[in-house]
Amino acid sequence: EEKKILFYHPNEVEKNEKIRNVGLCEAIVQFTRTFSPTKPAKSLHTQKNRQFFHEPEENFWMVMVVRNPIIEKHKDGKPVYEYQEEELLDKVYSSVLQQCYSMYKLFNGTFLKAMEDGGVKVLKERLEKFFHRYLQTLHLQSCDLLDVFCGISFFPLDKMTYLKIQSFINRMEESLNIVKYTAFLYNDQLIWSGLEQDDMRILYKYLTTSLFPRHMEPELAGRDSPMRAEMPGNLQHYGRFLTGPLNLNDPEAKCRFPKIFVNTDDTYEELHLIVYKAMSAAVCFMIDASIPPTLEFCRKLDSIVGPQLTVLASDICEQYNINKRISGAEKEPQFKFIYFNHMNLAEKSTIHMRKTPSVSLASVHPDLMKILGDINSDFSRVDEDEEIIVKAMSDYWVVGKKSDQRELYVILNQKNANLIEVNEEVKKLCATQFNNIFFLD
Amino acid sequence: YRMEDKGEVKCIKFSLGNKILAVQRTLKSVDFLNFIPDSPQVEYTQECKTKNANILGFCWTSSTEIVFITDQGIEFYQVLPEKRSLKLLKNQSINVNWYMYCPESSVILLSTTVLGNVLQPFYFKSGTMSKLSKFEIELPAAPKSSKLSLSERDIAMATMDLYVLYLRHHSRTSNSTGAEVVLYHLPREGSCKKTHILKLNRTGKFALNVVDNLVVVHHQDTETSVIFDIKLKGEFDGSTTIHQFVLPPRSIQPYQIPVAGPASVTSQSPVPCKLYSSSWIVFQPDIIISASEGYLWSLQVKLEPVVNLLLDKGKLMDFLLQRKECKMVILSVCSQMLSEPERGSLSMIATVFDKLNHEYKKYLEAEQSYTMVVEAGLSRSNPLLKRPVRTQAVIDQSDMYTHVLSVFTEKKEAPHKFTIAVLMEYIRSLNQFQIAVQHYLYELVIKTLVQHNLFYMLHQFLQYHVLSDSKPLACLLLSLESIYPPAHQLSLDMLKRLSTANDEIVEVLLSKHQVLAALRFIRGIGGHDSISARKFLDAAKQAEDDMLFYTIFRFFEQRNQRLRGNPSFTPGEHCEEHVAFFKQVFGEQALMKPTTF
């Protein structure tokens, strides 16, 4: 039985207990399968915990157990712990579990691949190595609707600047001909992806929640700071590697780049991920893993991409400011909303603060976020377009709209507003924010 | 025709239109002869007005106006052929060494002063003669004696906007590397300026021609010619631009002289004629006469060989865009740089596209401002306004599409990444010059992306509106829905943005049986009173959802009630079938009763 366990966290748990827990999970899945052969149980609600099951690859199961929140109450002078069984949202945490797998797959390939490469031993090593670090970065308390979407925030840009970026990418791919795919981001928002949508989705998540935040500090330090002076490169441009060699002038510098796995369903490609950044613009160059990038290649990349990307970044910045001025000064958004489009994974939130390295913070009460999650669950049950308006506590109204493949969630706070007024407000929001898409009233 | 022999003829010239022949036999006078049908062919004579002056020559400036150039000045006459006499319009005294006339610009150039290097231009136009400001040609070295130092042979006039060309020979005293051609720009107003120097880098005997705005300098010793284009960039020293020749020296393509003789022997191969012979005489702009062979040629520039001589494609485009017959050559250069074996880099391709579109945009702008003036009815008050001429250098989107891009994408020999990059580069260039991109280019992009299953790429392009909204594009997207479902959403968004495609939106929704959505949409834009009830009821019935049908039916009953005071449908709406269906499913009593007052 023990051999069935490939990875268990926390590892300190006694062996027999491990086996017992895993056996229980297996039993539940097998049992529910008799009722629904194609869709076995996804989660199990108990008083203390909630368990989530996920079968990412055939015969490989991932299980995550989340403890229900506890409220301490006093009864007869004694503290009593009460589990809040209905606080956690199934969709949020099953999405988190799926992302765990996606992230593992991005950097390690499929489980099956590891088995083929070196059997259970290799798979166990890889799992241990990856999840040991990854689990520490999960912040389960602050997971919400955005984790369900796992969307991509796109950078708004005018056509001409976009075409310039296109032109830049095409030229770079031409001069650095071993580059297979390119992705372009500005301000942590995506502008171009040469990768397919699903691969980009998880890469985007890695970049914005892990890689970029880790490199924030030197940038914030400014270019005149001593930290900047230590940086490689020169005075001609601001380009630098976020992955790979730190100092190009050091002949001993190691050119090791993280490996990623994409298109695992068909072509199964293994790539080196080179992330290069100048000011707010970041480019990911992905090259085939069979060609190890040399220091010479890195220097070439730096000398070609660096100056052009620096110019492009300031172009984008300038254009962005012009556009902002035309569309009126960036007002504090009157509405708190979350928008998500399943078709292109575009996501927009005025509820969440800028993502920090650790957590993405919502600026509204967790209860409201929970209502959003509930509405989302309702939406996912039916195919048709619908609209849900909820009156929440203390003058809050929560509106959810679903039109075709788009979802919009609005939180309004108006004293003594009635249903008609709320509906009007949402219409107004759609007219101002989403007038260029087909969004049914 | 035979003229009476009245002495040796020095020169004859027909007027413009060949109606009057002017014949010079003496130094003092010119005789005239009318060639007008039914008018007597009797000669009449005009002597020069200035006493003791000798006529150096004469030139016609129109069909009835003639200028005599004497050694003491010029005389401008009007010829009255019916009266068989001439009328002096204007004259001007000035010492003249020699003169030169440029018919295209109606300018006469007089060489004055002892050295002959001060040139005085006169400009003629419909009965008026105007003196332009004179200018001095810098001689290579200070002449030792005061003898005529500027020869007529070394001067030429060219009409690329009028220039005077001076062939300055190499002088041993100055340390120049060879002879050079100096160009003086002669504007209608203002003073003449030295503007360009063409470096020949060699010495010897030269002759000049001007063809297609190019200065062609023939060099007898090496039997080659070099070409200069003053529109191209040169070294600018603050006042003059110094040019090197554009192409390496090449010989003129030899003319094949057909061998004259009986028909039986003409199969003999033609003999190439001797080029650059000393018996050549060169006339402006493009005439070469071989006195020994008895031929008169006009010089032409062949553009095709230039393509292989000028390796810098950017410079090549600059050169070609200035030429008259350039279109097909340019298009073939474009095709060539997109395909193996001479495939160009993307940045080079971008440069070429930008140059073409720069020219294209200039024309579009001129055309637009012309149309605006015409529409404002100002064309009469401004007689100088002309419709802009579309030269061959204007390569528009349809040219590029037909001759270059569609062929290139068809061939599929290039990797698709390159194909798409090229198409995007062309679209970027058009956008950069603010030229509206034609629909067929977008179609080409979409077609290429679809062929390679690059739907996510297509999605991103549409997301950033790189492919501009249009009804045809929206329809194209709709047709892609079966292979790429998100195309449906993209298409609807596009139709919505167009704001003129509401009918199409309704059709799309109905075809998906989204009857309620269609109805809500049309109500949202206030068009629900005029829609066809039958269309919606049809769609509702096809959806096979009884509740949906009920709702839609009820909506139209209510509309009928509101509009006509009666819920029943009129025969014109052709809804009998639906009423029957409704009764069958929900019963007769479910029908809305007419409200009675």
Side-chain angles (χ1 to χ4, degrees):
Chain A
E1 285 295 311
E2 197 201 347
K3 283 178 188 158
K4 280 187 182 170
I5 305 170
L6 296 169
F7 175 78
Y8 197 105
H9 173 87
N11 202 19
E12 303 83 66
V13 176
E14 201 251 323
K15 191 164 73 178
N16 280 333
E17 200 189 329
K18 277 186 193 172
I19 294 168
R20 233 187 14 247
N21 286 338
V22 170
L24 181 64
C25 293
E26 202 183 345
I28 290 165
V29 170
Q30 288 302 340
F31 175 65
T32 52
R33 214 195 275 274
T34 53
F35 301 104
S36 168
T38 49
K39 281 195 228 162
K42 281 198 172 134
S43 68
L44 175 70
H45 298 208
T46 63
Q47 189 195 12
K48 290 182 183 174
N49 300 323
R50 196 169 287 196
Q51 305 194 2
F52 299 92
F53 312 111
H54 180 45
E55 187 183 20
E57 293 173 37
E58 210 184 347
N59 299 324
F60 288 96
W61 283 86
M62 293 172 79
V63 181
M64 178 170 76
V65 181
V66 184
R67 188 183 298 127
N68 283 326
I70 312 169
I71 291 181
E72 195 181 314
K73 281 189 177 169
H74 291 273
K75 209 175 183 181
D76 308 331
K78 279 187 225 155
V80 177
Y81 296 107
E82 203 170 280
Y83 289 96
Q84 295 190 294
E85 291 171 38
E86 297 308 317
E87 280 306 296
L88 299 175
L89 288 167
D90 277 354
K91 276 203 84 178
V92 171
Y93 291 97
S94 51
S95 301
V96 169
L97 186 59
Q98 283 163 31
Q99 277 165 39
C100 283
Y101 171 70
S102 301
M103 198 64 90
Y104 168 85
K105 193 179 71 172
L106 180 70
F107 290 102
N108 296 282
T110 57
F111 296 149
L112 193 68
K113 184 77 187 337
M115 293 287 277
E116 285 165 7
D117 286 352
V120 184
K121 192 170 164 277
V122 167
L123 179 57
K124 275 188 171 177
E125 277 167 17
R126 285 188 191 168
L127 287 167
E128 177 65 35
K129 200 176 156 205
F130 176 78
F131 281 105
H132 180 71
R133 264 175 59 190
Y134 184 70
L135 289 180
Q136 293 172 0
T137 67
L138 281 181
H139 293 267
L140 291 178
Q141 294 87 350
S142 56
C143 289
D144 59 30
L145 189 58
L146 284 192
D147 293 286
V148 175
F149 295 146
C150 188
I152 295 170
S153 176
F154 286 92
F155 187 75
L157 203 59
D158 66 295
K159 177 159 66 167
M160 196 54 230
T161 317
Y162 184 78
L163 283 167
K164 271 193 207 164
I165 294 169
Q166 273 296 317
S167 178
F168 162 81
I169 293 166
N170 289 334
R171 281 183 219 185
M172 291 311 109
E173 288 191 358
E174 186 183 53
S175 8
L176 309 166
N177 54 2
I178 56 169
V179 173
K180 211 166 173 184
Y181 303 106
T182 310
F184 194 102
L185 296 94
Y186 189 85
N187 256 353
D188 294 2
Q189 290 174 302
L190 187 68
I191 293 179
W192 169 254
S193 159
L195 281 182
E196 285 304 310
Q197 205 176 41
D198 283 334
D199 290 323
M200 192 61 226
R201 181 187 219 170
I202 200 72
L203 178 63
Y204 178 78
K205 178 140 182 116
Y206 164 71
L207 293 172
T208 51
T209 58
S210 174
L211 184 70
F212 291 160
R214 263 190 278 138
H215 288 83
M216 282 287 277
E217 288 80 45
E219 234 151 72
L220 290 176
R223 61 181 164 117
D224 297 324
S225 76
M227 261 178 118
R228 175 81 219 178
E230 279 171 30
M231 302 261 261
N234 43 49
L235 300 167
Q236 268 90 57
H237 61 80
Y238 295 130
R240 66 200 176 88
F241 286 92
L242 295 196
T243 59
L246 277 173
N247 189 350
L248 289 172
N249 298 323
D250 176 9
E252 303 290 302
K254 284 201 182 84
C255 295
R256 283 183 52 197
F257 294 95
K259 271 188 194 169
I260 59 167
F261 295 79
V262 299
N263 291 329
T264 44
D265 289 338
D266 39 44
T267 46
Y268 206 94
E269 291 159 76
E270 193 176 346
L271 306 165
H272 290 290
L273 175 67
I274 303 173
V275 184
Y276 189 84
K277 194 169 179 183
M279 301 199 275
S280 295
V283 201
C284 306
F285 294 109
M286 286 153 267
I287 62 177
D288 204 283
S290 57
I291 313 162
T294 59
L295 186 62
E296 197 188 338
F297 173 79
C298 294
R299 283 191 183 133
K300 184 181 168 197
L301 189 147
D302 184 66
S303 69
I304 296 174
V305 179
Q308 294 198 46
L309 189 60
T310 307
V311 173
L312 199 56
S314 56
D315 267 8
I316 298 170
C317 179
E318 196 179 318
Q319 201 56 45
Y320 177 64
N321 289 333
I322 290 170
N323 291 350
K324 219 162 62 176
R325 230 176 295 138
I326 292 168
S327 64
E330 182 108 336
K331 282 169 257 159
E332 184 64 22
Q334 296 155 289
F335 299 96
K336 292 205 178 295
F337 69 86
I338 293 177
Y339 162 84
F340 180 71
N341 182 357
H342 288 273
M343 288 286 125
N344 60 359
L345 308 180
E347 144 192 300
K348 197 171 175 182
S349 168
T350 58
I351 291 176
H352 294 79
M353 301 286 110
R354 210 184 147 76
K355 280 175 182 158
T356 59
S358 49
V359 279
S360 63
L361 290 167
S363 61
V364 295
H365 195 274
D367 286 350
L368 289 171
M369 288 311 292
K370 186 170 174 279
I371 293 175
L372 295 186
D374 285 336
I375 297 176
N376 171 259
S377 311
D378 282 343
F379 282 161
S380 54
R381 269 195 281 276
V382 271
D383 282 339
E384 271 159 56
D385 296 354
E386 46 180 58
E387 189 167 339
I388 296 173
I389 302 180
V390 178
K391 172 95 169 70
M393 67 297 166
S394 57
D395 288 323
Y396 276 108
W397 288 80
V398 180
V399 182
K401 272 165 76 82
K402 184 183 168 202
S403 170
D404 198 14
Q405 298 291 320
R406 297 184 164 106
E407 289 175 31
L408 175 68
Y409 303 86
V410 188
I411 297 174
L412 293 164
N413 186 11
Q414 264 182 339
K415 277 229 162 68
N416 306 321
N418 61 32
L419 194 60
I420 297 169
E421 283 164 359
V422 168
N423 197 29
E424 282 303 309
E425 281 296 309
V426 175
K427 266 191 182 168
K428 237 192 274 170
L429 167 75
C430 290
T432 52
Q433 297 274 335
F434 304 106
N435 60 342
N436 58 350
I437 57 170
F438 185 79
F439 209 55
L440 269 180
D441 291 320
Chain B
Y1 179 73
R2 181 182 282 255
M3 274 194 314
E4 267 180 76
D5 184 6
K6 288 184 186 171
E8 187 198 354
V9 174
K10 289 178 183 296
C11 175
I12 60 169
K13 280 175 186 171
F14 271 108
S15 68
L16 274 76
N18 303 337
K19 292 278 164 50
I20 310 165
L21 178 67
V23 183
Q24 189 193 357
R25 294 190 176 98
T26 69
L27 283 172
K28 300 290 177 192
S29 67
V30 178
D31 305 324
F32 294 89
L33 194 58
N34 292 345
F35 275 80
I36 302 162
D38 307 325
S39 93
Q41 290 181 339
V42 181
E43 286 187 16
Y44 46 102
T45 305
Q46 177 66 47
E47 275 186 31
C48 70
K49 286 277 192 275
T50 322
K51 291 233 170 70
N52 305 324
N54 291 327
I55 297 177
L56 299 172
F58 59 91
C59 30
W60 291 97
T61 58
S62 79
S63 59
T64 55
E65 282 157 6
I66 192 163
V67 184
F68 291 1
I69 299 98
T70 71
D71 53 2
Q72 292 175 28
I74 56 173
E75 298 168 6
F76 184 37
Y77 293 98
Q78 185 177 23
V79 184
L80 307 163
E82 304 82 20
K83 289 185 184 168
R84 289 196 272 111
S85 67
L86 277 78
K87 188 178 130 197
L88 181 69
L89 294 172
K90 209 165 180 187
N91 67 340
Q92 172 94 33
S93 308
I94 186 166
N95 279 320
V96 179
N97 302 315
W98 47 262
Y99 77 98
M100 185 171 283
Y101 178 57
C102 172
E104 289 98 332
S105 54
S106 306
V107 169
I108 288 180
L109 209 55
L110 304 178
S111 156
T112 69
T113 70
V114 186
L115 295 172
N117 64 334
V118 176
L119 299 181
Q120 173 64 61
F122 286 94
Y123 170 56
F124 299 89
K125 199 194 173 196
S126 54
T128 60
M129 174 178 100
S130 38
K131 190 174 175 180
L132 305 178
S133 54
K134 62 181 176 191
F135 61 97
E136 193 178 327
I137 299 274
E138 291 165 40
L139 296 171
K144 291 175 193 99
S145 57
S146 48
K147 65 167 188 206
L148 192 60
S149 308
L150 181 69
S151 146
E152 187 183 348
R153 288 178 47 132
D154 296 338
I155 292 293
M157 276 196 276
T159 49
M160 325 166 264
D161 199 20
L162 193 63
Y163 282 94
V164 173
L165 281 63
Y166 164 49
L167 182 63
R168 180 157 61 181
H169 290 283
H170 174 68
S171 72
R172 253 166 256 138
T173 48
S174 72
N175 44 11
S176 67
T177 51
E180 54 196 28
V181 176
V182 187
L183 268 72
Y184 295 83
H185 183 224
L186 192 58
R188 284 285 135 81
E189 276 153 25
S191 56
C192 183
K193 265 196 216 97
K194 181 165 119 180
T195 51
H196 301 272
I197 292 172
L198 315 181
K199 287 276 182 201
L200 297 175
N201 295 340
R202 47 175 85 181
T203 58
K205 277 178 89 177
F206 298 99
L208 295 177
N209 273 132
V210 176
V211 187
D212 201 1
N213 292 337
L214 293 171
V215 179
V216 184
V217 183
H218 310 293
H219 186 230
Q220 202 187 21
D221 302 354
T222 56
E223 298 195 359
T224 53
S225 304
V226 283
I227 288 176
F228 293 91
D229 186 351
I230 58 167
K231 291 273 173 67
L232 293 185
K233 270 204 197 96
E235 260 175 78
F236 189 65
D237 70 354
S239 60
T240 50
T241 317
I242 297 162
H243 296 268
Q244 306 292 339
F245 34 81
V246 186
L247 307 168
R250 280 292 183 274
S251 169
I252 301 173
Q253 186 184 33
Y255 177 78
Q256 309 283 322
I257 301 174
V259 179
S264 55
V265 289
T266 44
S267 55
Q268 235 178 307
S269 58
V271 182
C273 81
K274 167 104 177 71
L275 294 175
Y276 300 94
S277 92
S278 53
S279 71
W280 276 19
I281 308 163
V282 169
F283 288 95
Q284 293 319 316
D286 56 357
I287 307 293
I288 298 173
I289 292 176
S290 165
S292 58
E293 314 261 8
Y295 275 95
L296 182 149
W297 292 293
S298 94
L299 188 69
Q300 288 173 343
V301 176
K302 291 182 83 169
L303 295 178
E304 288 82 1
V306 175
V307 174
N308 299 322
L309 292 175
L310 252 181
L311 294 174
D312 178 349
K313 288 278 189 293
K315 208 172 159 193
L316 174 65
M317 276 298 151
D318 286 338
F319 178 83
L320 290 177
L321 281 170
Q322 301 293 336
R323 308 285 75 86
K324 282 198 192 82
E325 306 280 328
C326 59
K327 185 178 228 152
M328 290 327 286
V329 182
I330 289 178
L331 290 171
S332 80
V333 172
C334 289
S335 293
Q336 198 188 354
M337 72 183 179
L338 296 184
S339 48
E340 298 294 350
E342 288 174 71
R343 206 171 89 187
S345 71
L346 281 174
S347 54
M348 194 263 288
I349 290 164
T351 314
V352 170
F353 286 164
D354 284 349
K355 284 184 195 295
L356 295 182
N357 288 328
H358 177 71
E359 205 64 31
Y360 178 29
K361 177 66 178 174
K362 270 203 304 203
Y363 168 74
L364 288 179
E365 264 175 354
E367 178 78 33
Q368 195 190 13
S369 58
Y370 171 78
T371 324
M372 263 167 60
V373 172
V374 170
E375 273 170 9
L378 297 168
S379 51
R380 247 166 270 160
S381 61
N382 190 357
L384 286 174
L385 186 79
K386 273 190 214 134
R387 191 179 188 88
V389 185
R390 190 184 160 135
T391 64
Q392 285 211 3
V394 179
I395 310 273
D396 65 14
Q397 296 172 57
S398 111
D399 294 327
M400 281 302 279
Y401 176 81
T402 327
H403 298 282
V404 184
L405 298 175
S406 65
V407 185
F408 159 66
T409 45
E410 279 306 306
K411 267 197 286 184
K412 295 188 184 105
E413 59 167 28
H416 62 79
K417 232 181 196 180
F418 182 74
T419 312
I420 292 156
V422 167
L423 292 176
M424 291 318 283
E425 203 55 66
Y426 188 59
I427 290 173
R428 178 207 53 81
S429 180
L430 288 170
N431 271 291
Q432 192 152 315
F433 288 97
Q434 291 163 322
I435 301 169
V437 182
Q438 294 293 321
H439 169 248
Y440 43 75
L441 286 176
Y442 293 142
E443 230 169 78
L444 199 60
V445 173
I446 295 177
K447 221 173 80 187
T448 315
L449 291 171
V450 168
Q451 264 168 10
H452 296 96
N453 282 320
L454 299 167
F455 291 106
Y456 189 44
M457 226 180 234
L458 172 65
H459 202 130
Q460 294 184 65
F461 288 153
L462 288 162
Q463 202 173 315
Y464 282 96
H465 308 302
V466 166
L467 312 175
S468 305
D469 299 343
S470 71
K471 266 190 209 180
L473 197 58
C475 294
L476 182 62
L477 286 173
L478 270 183
S479 70
L480 292 177
E481 196 197 339
S482 57
I483 35 175
Y484 185 61
H488 178 252
Q489 190 191 59
L490 290 166
S491 168
L492 270 186
D493 292 350
M494 193 177 280
L495 290 170
K496 161 92 187 296
R497 285 192 297 267
L498 286 169
S499 77
T500 54
N502 294 331
D503 293 344
E504 282 83 352
I505 293 179
V506 170
E507 291 298 334
V508 170
L509 292 173
L510 286 184
S511 72
K512 299 236 119 200
H513 303 312
Q514 292 180 312
V515 192
L516 267 184
L519 205 54
R520 287 175 70 179
F521 169 74
I522 202 86
R523 197 174 60 182
I525 58 165
H528 55 292
D529 282 352
S530 53
I531 46 167
S532 146
R534 188 190 154 88
K535 196 154 80 179
F536 280 78
L537 287 169
D538 272 342
K541 203 173 155 206
Q542 276 160 22
E544 291 174 358
D545 177 348
D546 287 347
M547 271 331 284
L548 178 70
F549 185 79
Y550 183 89
T551 314
I552 301 295
F553 193 85
R554 188 61 94 221
F555 174 84
F556 282 107
E557 277 190 324
Q558 281 165 354
R559 184 180 81 167
N560 294 340
Q561 174 76 38
R562 188 163 42 83
L563 295 178
R564 291 194 304 270
N566 191 322
S568 57
F569 292 89
T570 63
E573 291 180 273
H574 300 290
C575 294
E576 295 79 9
E577 174 201 346
H578 301 101
V579 175
F581 179 73
F582 187 83
K583 279 190 208 159
Q584 181 203 325
V585 179
F586 302 104
E588 178 106 42
Q589 70 289 350
L591 284 175
M592 215 170 131
K593 304 280 175 313
T595 38
T596 44
F597 295 99

